[in-house]
Amino acid sequence: MKKTIKDINWTGKTAVMRCDFNVPLDGDKITDDIRIQAALPSIKYLIENGAAIVLMSHLGRPKGEAKPEFSLAPVAKRLTECLGQDVKFVPSDVVVDDTVRAAAKELKAGEVMLIENVRYRAEETKNDPAFSKDLSELGDIFVQDAFGTSHRAHASTTGIADYIPAVSGFLIEKELKFLGEAVNNPKRPFAAIMGGAKVKDKIPVITNLLDKVDILIIGGGMAYTFFKAQGYSIGTSLLDEEGLDLAGDILKLAEEKGVKFMLPVDVVAADEFANDSAHDVYAVDSIPDNRMGLDIGPETIKLYSDALKSAKTVVWNGPMGVFEMDTFAVGTKAIAECLAEIDATTVIGGGDSAAAVAKFGLADKMTHISTGGGASLEFLEGIELPGIAVIEDM
Ligand code: ADP
Ligand code: MG
């Protein structure tokens, strides 16, 4: 168990809190503030418990330079609105300077300030000790609450904890609870659903999960590499050449480990990668040479839904088809609806899978939707994330 902000007596202390305020912007307008909303419970807890609060985050990829289009100024404004109290933005092209230090020192209990985009400094992503120390000196305790960057050892996610004690905020606590429980202590049967585009990216996850799951369900673009490995022709479907041998290995490994490994039995294949393309349903052994598989077929949906009905824990990473196009969103939607209905702990990891579930309006029907795409994948791989490792144990 990792320490959280609840394990600290905040009276007279300043929290330096790493958030994920990497919000989509249109000019200086925030087009989706879900990440800001998500950070509010931890910030409010700190305010109510007498901490002074210095917030930090990255935004986009300014690549170590002060670029105004990546300024966190709009975030400070939105935070001020959401919290109903002033969140002082203290900008600096070098992120931490004497003005920033003075502002942090002057903060009183319950006051909140935000410093500039930590990626204005190249030292951030290099996990530079001097920059880490500069950040640490803005307060007394490091609060890690940016799960989405916790798989990166950066100054503001990892290095800072060399200088001051680290605890987690509520977002990280929740990620560890649901992702951690699902992977390490699941109620069984435990099913994982893997989809998305590339096999190669997800092989380590599949390999790790094969030791843990009872059922492994494959969909999406990666299925075709498995079909190819089984000797089927896949037409113009997505093929991950580099992942081909690995797919064969996975098939063998699943058999050795006695995991129920499920591949689609039928697919929806189209002439081209377009929503309005002509398309039909094919059994996996009869995909025409000139067509590409863009979704799982109706038999597969039935098969997968049946298999998932008995599951008590489900982890889902990667859509079943090209869900961005309505024509090929049917399989992904059906699986999302299935997960929404079953009596199981359902955990969604992966940026596109989370987007798909949100698109179908089913987000609140899932037990947990991870806020970190890459981070949740590495977590599922069984890798200890550097930004989590630094958080003190109870
Ligand atoms: P996640 O972000 O949930 O981890 P990925 O990034 O691995 O998922 O994969 C998502 C992408 O995979 C989506 O953009 C989707 O359109 C694409 N995809 C799914 N099925 C197919 C397919 N059959 N052919 C091509 N692309 C696909
Ligand atoms: Mg993705």
Side-chain angles (χ1 to χ4, degrees):
M1 285 282 276
K2 296 284 191 182
K3 278 191 191 167
T4 77
I5 48 177
K6 284 190 168 159
D7 298 308
I8 302 291
N9 175 0
W10 287 102
T11 311
K13 295 207 179 73
T14 299
V16 189
M17 180 167 163
R18 177 60 156 97
C19 297
D20 179 1
F21 293 143
N22 185 25
V23 292
L25 287 174
D26 178 10
D28 62 359
K29 294 234 152 39
I30 296 169
T31 54
D32 180 354
D33 72 351
I34 189 158
R35 289 183 166 162
I36 293 175
Q37 296 292 341
L40 297 178
S42 294
I43 299 172
K44 284 181 181 159
Y45 179 89
L46 290 169
I47 293 171
E48 282 159 15
N49 286 275
I53 303 148
V54 177
L55 301 174
M56 57 181 175
S57 176
H58 78 284
L59 174 64
R61 295 173 189 270
K63 304 215 167 121
E65 275 174 58
K67 296 198 181 116
E69 66 269 34
F70 296 109
S71 172
L72 283 171
V75 171
K77 220 172 120 207
R78 181 62 63 91
L79 276 168
T80 298
E81 290 162 10
C82 293
L83 287 168
Q85 82 174 56
D86 191 40
V87 173
K88 194 174 177 198
F89 183 53
V90 192
S92 162
D93 284 356
V94 293
V95 185
V96 182
D97 62 13
D98 284 343
T99 311
V100 173
R101 283 184 198 100
K105 199 140 271 151
E106 278 162 24
L107 279 183
K108 296 191 186 64
E111 290 184 344
V112 187
M113 68 179 258
L114 173 67
I115 63 172
E116 188 52 283
N117 189 340
V118 286
R119 289 196 191 163
Y120 272 17
R121 289 279 291 273
E123 293 93 329
E124 161 66 2
T125 52
K126 292 181 183 143
N127 195 14
D128 174 77
F131 185 52
S132 302
K133 189 159 184 280
D134 274 352
L135 293 171
S136 75
E137 286 171 357
L138 298 176
D140 305 297
I141 308 269
F142 170 48
V143 179
Q144 167 64 294
D145 214 20
F147 185 69
T149 44
S150 65
H151 59 316
R152 303 279 180 247
H154 293 170
S156 71
T157 64
T158 306
I160 182 172
D162 286 342
Y163 303 96
I164 51 175
V167 300
S168 75
F170 295 141
L171 282 177
I172 295 265
E173 184 187 27
K174 190 166 178 249
E175 295 282 358
L176 295 180
K177 177 167 153 51
F178 290 110
L179 278 173
E181 287 264 297
V183 175
N184 300 316
N185 192 21
K187 269 203 224 132
R188 294 186 182 274
F190 175 20
I193 309 170
M194 298 294 298
K198 281 202 165 171
V199 178
K200 192 170 56 86
D201 292 352
K202 299 197 174 175
I203 287 281
V205 181
I206 298 178
T207 309
N208 184 45
L209 289 176
L210 278 179
D211 278 327
K212 306 182 184 276
V213 298
D214 304 296
I215 306 170
L216 191 68
I217 288 176
I218 302 284
M222 71 160 72
Y224 301 89
T225 303
F226 283 98
F227 294 152
K228 185 91 181 172
Q230 289 177 317
Y232 295 123
S233 50
I234 58 170
T236 56
S237 309
L238 206 63
L239 173 64
D240 180 2
E241 290 274 5
E242 276 179 82
L244 192 53
D245 288 345
L246 294 166
D249 296 344
I250 292 276
L251 289 169
K252 272 184 227 130
L253 200 64
E255 208 175 312
E256 277 166 36
K257 294 192 184 287
V259 171
K260 182 168 178 172
F261 194 86
M262 304 181 78
L263 281 162
V265 293
D266 59 350
V267 302
V268 179
D271 287 335
E272 9 167 2
F273 194 79
N275 190 45
D276 58 359
S277 171
H279 57 276
D280 290 288
V281 174
Y282 300 94
V284 291
D285 59 1
S286 46
I287 301 171
D289 286 345
N290 61 344
R291 287 198 152 180
M292 59 180 76
L294 297 179
D295 198 5
I296 55 175
E299 282 302 317
T300 305
I301 291 175
K302 230 182 274 160
L303 198 70
Y304 286 2
S305 302
D306 276 346
L308 289 167
K309 257 178 210 139
S310 66
K312 284 288 165 237
T313 305
V314 183
V315 170
W316 183 11
N317 176 281
M320 295 291 98
V322 184
F323 75 97
E324 297 92 335
M325 302 178 191
D326 287 344
T327 311
F328 308 107
V330 178
T332 305
K333 186 164 185 228
I335 296 302
E337 282 168 347
C338 172
L339 295 196
E341 272 166 28
I342 60 175
D343 179 22
T345 301
T346 49
V347 178
I348 316 298
D352 291 291
S353 322
V357 168
K359 175 180 163 162
F360 306 133
L362 295 170
D364 60 353
K365 295 278 198 302
M366 306 299 162
T367 311
H368 177 62
I369 298 187
S370 177
T371 51
S376 64
L377 262 191
E378 290 195 20
F379 193 96
L380 295 175
E381 274 180 61
I383 294 174
E384 183 166 48
L385 313 180
I388 304 288
V390 296
I391 301 169
E392 297 193 345
D393 291 308
M394 295 277 249

